Amino acid sequence: VKFIVKPDRQDEFLKVMRNNIHQTMTSEPNALQFILGKDVDDDNTFYLHEEYKSRADHQDPHSKTKYYDECIAFFGTEPFTEPHIADEYTLAHDGPAEKVKNVEAICLNVELCIKPEVREEFLDVIRNNKEGSDKEPLCLQYSWGENENTPNTFHFHEEYIGEEGLAAHNAAPHFAVWEEFASKGSPFAKPPIVHKFKALLD
């Protein structure tokens, strides 16, 4: 999810969202991750990444809680400069075995729209990239999956220990394979979207 928050509403926004995160992670057993972060270049832009064991776990109980209702009520008070953007996707790999603790990290939320004719090659490259990323000592997370409603649109959430972690990832052999794919021909149906942000602790 992406939010662009009015400067004079940020304190309210952070209070509501931090309560939502805390309540979700402490009271919902099937809520696996809920991270809030701020854009590295724009102090008014914030991002969320949430993971649940199933879509049903987000619909019920999460969306039927008091703290969720408080978020929706706050959203109705026009705290944003433009409508927020939310994307749902199913992980293409196993999710975390236990709840993921929020830590200081440099994070990426990425959207890639792939042309159908290169889909299988793309999937091979990304599986290789994830396998390699999961072995990087400074990579905390590399999650990805396909949009629930739009075929061939893929979303990624990545977390690294500092800028050095991201730099190490970008210099890794498996990332070079991705770079070769991305620069070969024209594999994208539209330009990639990359949001970089710093995780905000609870």
Side-chain angles (χ1 to χ4, degrees), residues 91-94 112 118-136 142-146 154 156 169 174-175 177-178 181:
L91 292 180
H93 50 85
D94 291 338
L112 300 176
V118 299
R119 176 186 174 92
E120 293 308 315
E121 182 181 2
F122 166 80
L123 291 175
D124 287 342
V125 169
I126 290 301
R127 290 179 184 121
N128 176 69
N129 202 7
K130 174 170 175 56
E131 181 180 2
S133 299
D134 287 346
K135 297 174 183 176
E136 294 175 23
Y142 187 99
S143 297
W144 70 282
E146 189 166 7
F154 296 86
F156 297 76
H169 173 73
H174 45 273
F175 188 80
V177 175
W178 159 252
F181 168 82

Side-chain angles (χ1 to χ4, degrees), residues 173-188:
H174 45 273
F175 188 80
V177 175
W178 159 252
E179 289 281 90
E180 180 181 1
F181 168 82
S183 62
K184 182 175 62 178
S186 181
F188 304 112

Side-chain angles (χ1 to χ4, degrees), residues 71-87:
C71 275
I72 299 303
F74 173 74
F75 293 173
T77 65
E78 301 184 355
F80 309 122
T81 60
E82 58 187 62
H84 65 279
I85 300 170
D87 296 297

Side-chain angles (χ1 to χ4, degrees), residues 1 33 48-52 54-55 86-93 108-111 141-150 153-158:
V1 185
Q33 184 176 18
L48 293 182
H49 176 73
E50 304 172 58
E51 290 187 21
Y52 298 85
S54 72
R55 176 190 272 187
D87 296 297
E88 289 188 24
Y89 58 101
T90 301
L91 292 180
H93 50 85
L108 302 178
N109 280 351
V110 180
E111 177 185 285
Q141 183 173 352
Y142 187 99
S143 297
W144 70 282
E146 189 166 7
N147 190 284
E148 288 282 330
N149 302 306
T150 309
T153 294
F154 296 86
H155 302 279
F156 297 76
H157 176 73
E158 306 172 35

Side-chain angles (χ1 to χ4, degrees), residues 12-200:
E12 294 173 82
F13 170 78
L14 290 172
K15 182 178 179 180
V16 168
M17 293 310 306
R18 282 178 163 141
N19 180 62
N20 189 10
I21 292 170
H22 175 74
Q23 296 291 345
T24 298
M25 295 302 290
T26 57
S27 64
E28 298 179 33
N30 291 337
L32 300 174
Q33 184 176 18
F34 202 152
I35 183 174
L36 172 67
K38 180 184 283 191
D39 193 277
V40 296
D41 296 317
D42 185 351
D43 284 342
N44 300 318
T45 300
F46 297 83
Y47 304 95
L48 293 182
H49 176 73
E50 304 172 58
E51 290 187 21
Y52 298 85
K53 285 189 176 180
S54 72
R55 176 190 272 187
D57 292 317
H58 182 269
Q59 295 171 337
D60 184 6
H62 180 70
S63 64
K64 296 182 180 179
T65 60
K66 179 181 178 181
Y67 45 89
Y68 180 86
D69 288 343
E70 289 173 350
C71 275
I72 299 303
F74 173 74
F75 293 173
T77 65
E78 301 184 355
F80 309 122
T81 60
E82 58 187 62
H84 65 279
I85 300 170
D87 296 297
E88 289 188 24
Y89 58 101
T90 301
L91 292 180
H93 50 85
D94 291 338
E98 55 188 28
K99 289 179 181 288
V100 179
K101 183 179 176 64
N102 288 346
V103 297
E104 290 186 11
I106 294 294
C107 307
L108 302 178
N109 280 351
V110 180
E111 177 185 285
L112 300 176
C113 299
I114 301 299
K115 292 180 179 178
E117 58 268 29
V118 299
R119 176 186 174 92
E120 293 308 315
E121 182 181 2
F122 166 80
L123 291 175
D124 287 342
V125 169
I126 290 301
R127 290 179 184 121
N128 176 69
N129 202 7
K130 174 170 175 56
E131 181 180 2
S133 299
D134 287 346
K135 297 174 183 176
E136 294 175 23
L138 300 181
C139 178
L140 299 172
Q141 183 173 352
Y142 187 99
S143 297
W144 70 282
E146 189 166 7
N147 190 284
E148 288 282 330
N149 302 306
T150 309
N152 298 316
T153 294
F154 296 86
H155 302 279
F156 297 76
H157 176 73
E158 306 172 35
E159 296 185 18
Y160 301 93
I161 300 175
E163 292 288 352
E164 62 271 28
L166 180 57
H169 173 73
N170 291 340
H174 45 273
F175 188 80
V177 175
W178 159 252
E179 289 281 90
E180 180 181 1
F181 168 82
S183 62
K184 182 175 62 178
S186 181
F188 304 112
K190 63 180 184 180
I193 298 172
V194 180
H195 297 304
K196 183 179 178 182
F197 59 100
K198 289 184 178 180
L200 298 176

